[in-house]
Amino acid sequence: MEGQWPAIGFETLPWESDPDVLPFISKTQRRKMSSTYEAAVPLLIADRDVALPAALTERVSGLLMSLARFDAEQRMRGYDLPAMLLRSESSASSQIESLTSSARNVALAEIAPDAPHNAQLIAGNIAAMKSALSLEGPLEVAGILEIHRTLINRNGVTFGGALRSEQVWVGGSSFSPHGALYVPPRYERVAAYLDDLASFAARDDIPPITKAAIFHAQLETIHPFIDGNGRTGRALLHKILRDEGVLSQVTLPLSAGLLHDVDAYMAAIAAYQQGNPVAIVEQLVDALELAIVVGGLTAAKMDSVIEEWKAMITERKGASIHRLPGVLVEQPVVSIAYLAKRLGITPRASLSLVERACEYGILRPLGNRRRGEFFQSDEIVAVLEEISDIQGIRRIVAGKASL
């Protein structure tokens, strides 16, 4: 199916180097720079069709059945596994952009404004994922901008939700687009391309996984923002899968599948830009198949943890501590104030609950902060670390292969 579409084109544009920056550029870098550069002219895709090979179509059919089965299973659980998987998805998506932080610090960042910077950025990704999933109605340009705003502006910057007004590029040096791996279209073209992308998303004759994959690759090709394009695009994958009825209960960690082989993911986007839309569909199918494995492993581990906790707790039925495990699945680092508000109890009752949870071993005080201020669930954090980290994901893949 290579060459199913034309490859993207390019246009020659003038380049003016900043004279204030030139003295700081090495002679080698200066020799690579010229008075012009080549920027991409992507295809308009609103009316383009995609033909998948028979073998891939069969894989997609089987995948859709597996996704429906896993999604339905979540209705049977008494705790919010989807919230935990969304947290894993956000961390894995951020790692693709080389943003890393511990699962504990990311959870801490959601309730503590002084958490480490990278953790705050990943917490912004969690907020963007939630924004994408809660977005009502069809996917339009305004919704794309809102998700980007949620992702970026959490950390005090102001360009979130704004289309870029300058040239950007991927790879190469920070001084000019010469030698870059990819130079997206000039900014004046971005708005029209996003309108075209929204029209593509509104079509009802494109299979859902194919639609999600191509939408994502086209957004990456347009690169409408100064920063956060990849994370915004991966959040939108979940919006499309939800809108298309593929997943209604759960958020699968599909970025874990992409993180497992980032080079293949980037190669698939490059192949898409060369006229092979099937490549990115195959990549998304691979990612979703692995995401089901990761999700299933997570569910099994969390079922075991929750059952152990239930067996330990001896308080009377109806006591607030029985609601604690469900809260920790969603937010594995908590404070007295957070639990009081979340459970609708007094601070004194919250303190007693936390003390009792520490006696059970469900919680423990964080050792690197003022004692007693924050508490974490070691067992849930450990599960999150495994399903959010590239080495943990590779161990899961290796375990699957050995079955």
Side-chain angles (χ1 to χ4, degrees), residues 99-359:
L99 286 172
T100 60
S101 185
S102 67
R104 181 199 67 184
N105 281 344
V106 174
L108 183 63
E110 293 189 81
I111 60 173
D114 60 340
H117 179 65
N118 270 15
Q120 293 284 359
L121 292 176
I122 298 171
N125 206 11
I126 294 173
M129 292 277 182
K130 291 178 179 177
S131 175
L133 292 169
S134 64
L135 197 62
E136 297 290 339
L139 182 51
E140 299 177 344
V141 174
I144 297 173
L145 299 183
E146 179 57 33
I147 292 165
H148 185 258
R149 183 179 298 111
T150 303
L151 171 73
I152 297 295
N153 284 6
R154 176 186 176 94
N155 299 292
V157 297
T158 58
F159 66 86
L163 299 181
R164 58 182 169 89
S165 58
E166 61 189 70
Q167 185 64 64
V168 296
W169 54 90
V170 179
S173 78
S174 59
F175 303 111
S176 82
H178 303 99
L181 296 175
Y182 175 67
V183 182
R186 58 188 172 95
Y187 71 86
E188 293 93 340
R189 292 183 178 271
V190 167
Y193 277 124
L194 286 184
D195 288 338
D196 176 75
L197 185 59
S199 296
F200 174 81
R203 289 174 60 175
D204 59 8
D205 61 334
I206 301 289
I209 290 177
T210 300
K211 179 188 285 189
I214 291 175
F215 182 100
H216 176 65
Q218 182 72 355
L219 187 75
E220 288 296 293
T221 299
I222 300 167
H223 235 66
F225 306 112
I226 294 175
D227 186 32
N229 293 281
R231 285 169 287 159
T232 300
R234 287 185 289 276
L236 286 164
L237 280 171
H238 295 280
K239 160 70 173 167
I240 294 173
L241 294 175
R242 179 70 56 90
D243 286 354
E244 296 289 322
V246 175
L247 295 169
S248 62
Q249 300 293 318
V250 73
T251 304
L252 278 172
L254 65 87
S255 289
L258 300 175
L259 181 64
H260 169 60
D261 193 343
V262 174
D263 289 343
Y265 170 40
M266 297 304 172
I269 291 176
Y272 169 84
Q273 293 165 353
Q274 292 302 309
N276 178 14
V278 173
I280 193 64
V281 179
E282 290 176 329
Q283 193 64 31
L284 182 57
V285 169
D286 287 346
L288 284 167
E289 287 175 342
L290 179 57
I292 293 174
V293 174
V294 174
L297 176 66
T298 305
K301 290 189 174 184
M302 287 312 308
D303 287 348
S304 177
V305 169
I306 296 295
E307 288 305 313
E308 286 180 11
W309 286 351
K310 285 181 177 179
M312 278 193 295
I313 296 172
T314 59
E315 275 75 1
R316 61 175 176 78
K317 186 177 180 180
S320 296
I321 196 168
H322 290 286
R323 291 186 284 154
L324 178 62
V327 173
L328 294 178
V329 171
E330 299 178 46
Q331 179 60 42
V333 175
V334 296
S335 65
I336 302 296
Y338 176 86
L339 285 177
K341 182 177 180 179
R342 180 68 185 273
L343 296 174
I345 58 180
T346 66
R348 181 182 293 275
S350 180
L351 174 61
S352 297
L353 183 154
V354 167
E355 289 175 344
R356 185 62 170 151
C358 288
E359 291 175 8

Side-chain angles (χ1 to χ4, degrees), residues 53-70:
L56 182 56
T57 298
E58 186 176 348
R59 276 184 71 194
V60 170
S61 296
L63 173 61
L64 287 171
M65 288 190 289
S66 297
L67 289 169
R69 187 163 50 248
F70 185 80

Side-chain angles (χ1 to χ4, degrees), residues 104 354 357-358 361-368 374-378:
R104 181 199 67 184
V354 167
C358 288
I362 295 173
L363 289 174
R364 73 169 177 84
L366 286 184
N368 64 340
F374 293 96
F375 302 81
Q376 79 171 36
S377 165
D378 287 341

